[in-house]
Amino acid sequence: MVPLSFAGEAFLALPEAALYWPARRALLVADLHFEKASWYARFGQFLPPHDSQATLDMIDALVARTGAQAVYSLGDSFHDSDGAARLDPQARDRLAALTGRLDWTWITGNHDIGVAAMPGGRRVAQAQVGGIWLRHEAQPDDPAPEISGHFHPKLRLSLRGRHVSRRCFVGSATKLILPALGALTGGLDAGHGEIRRAVGPGAAALVPVADRLLRFPLS
């Protein structure tokens, strides 16, 4: 876990695409997209069907590693409005156990806005915690500090003839976008115009590796 300072608060960035807030004992994750594979299967495109279990494995491991007592899921937790209903019984039980023992908050995203009922926890459109807004999609015109998801940022580089792609955080003075945690989620180039517009000037891609945070300015 690598220290990351934002809006006067100390966080820890995890290479697994999550953020831990020690002062709040809170784990922040974004874009889980549970049941993405089963959504594609309905249209004849078959992907490995274990994406929800793999994402739950990751959350379990991160909670154990950090000792988190709260989880904020920053939107698009399910891939579509029927995703929660398609969870297999084992995944549903695992998720119910997590939301039952942790202080779990679901932030609504554009993909899961139509989900009838979330499996445990509480559901809100946005939340303000310690003076920082937690949202699914960044609001460029709001000057308040904000942590969001939605864009699935990835840093893409060419190094010695090799193309490298890594999930990354994108941050500026008042905006921080989390990478997608979901097992089958793709990514948008961190330097894409929509991401740069969302975070404003001074943006950088942030990649936690080993014991340091690599910073790549986005011009």
Side-chain angles (χ1 to χ4, degrees):
M1 293 186 284
V2 181
L4 188 160
S5 178
F6 175 72
E9 293 282 341
F11 294 90
L12 294 171
L14 294 99
E16 297 87 348
L19 191 69
Y20 183 59
W21 195 347
R24 303 280 170 176
R25 300 197 69 176
L27 182 69
L28 279 63
V29 297
D31 297 282
L32 305 177
H33 284 266
F34 286 127
E35 293 304 306
K36 182 174 182 177
S38 64
W39 184 85
Y40 275 100
R42 296 165 67 185
F43 303 97
Q45 185 174 347
F46 297 101
L47 300 174
H50 310 298
D51 57 308
S52 293
Q53 293 284 7
T55 301
L56 284 167
D57 288 344
M58 182 64 70
I59 295 171
D60 270 327
L62 292 174
V63 168
R65 183 178 171 191
T66 60
Q69 295 183 350
V71 172
Y72 291 91
S73 184
L74 305 184
D76 286 1
S77 301
F78 289 88
H79 189 67
D80 64 287
S81 59
D82 295 323
R86 291 199 309 276
L87 284 169
D88 66 54
Q90 183 181 8
R92 186 178 296 110
D93 289 347
R94 290 183 67 189
L95 190 50
L98 280 168
T99 58
R101 68 184 177 87
L102 299 168
D103 183 8
W104 192 292
T105 301
W106 305 98
I107 306 286
T108 301
N110 55 294
H111 274 262
D112 52 23
I113 193 170
V115 174
M118 289 300 200
R122 64 179 174 274
R123 184 178 185 180
V124 298
Q126 58 186 1
Q128 190 177 41
V129 182
I132 299 175
W133 281 104
L134 306 181
R135 296 179 170 127
H136 175 60
E137 188 171 354
Q139 295 186 9
D141 296 332
D142 187 348
E146 168 195 87
I147 300 175
S148 61
H150 182 63
F151 288 107
H152 306 196
K154 279 191 171 183
L155 179 68
R156 294 184 172 93
L157 298 172
S158 293
L159 299 173
R160 298 178 182 176
R162 295 179 54 209
H163 295 290
V164 178
S165 178
R166 291 281 300 267
R167 288 182 293 183
C168 67
F169 301 81
V170 174
S172 64
T174 59
K175 307 289 183 185
L176 182 63
I177 297 176
L178 269 58
L181 184 71
L184 288 180
T185 49
L188 183 65
D189 189 279
H192 191 280
E194 285 300 306
I195 293 180
R196 288 162 55 193
R197 183 186 71 83
V199 297
L206 309 172
V207 182
V209 293
D211 59 348
R212 56 192 174 133
L213 190 68
L214 301 183
R215 184 179 296 268
F216 299 84
L218 301 175
S219 58

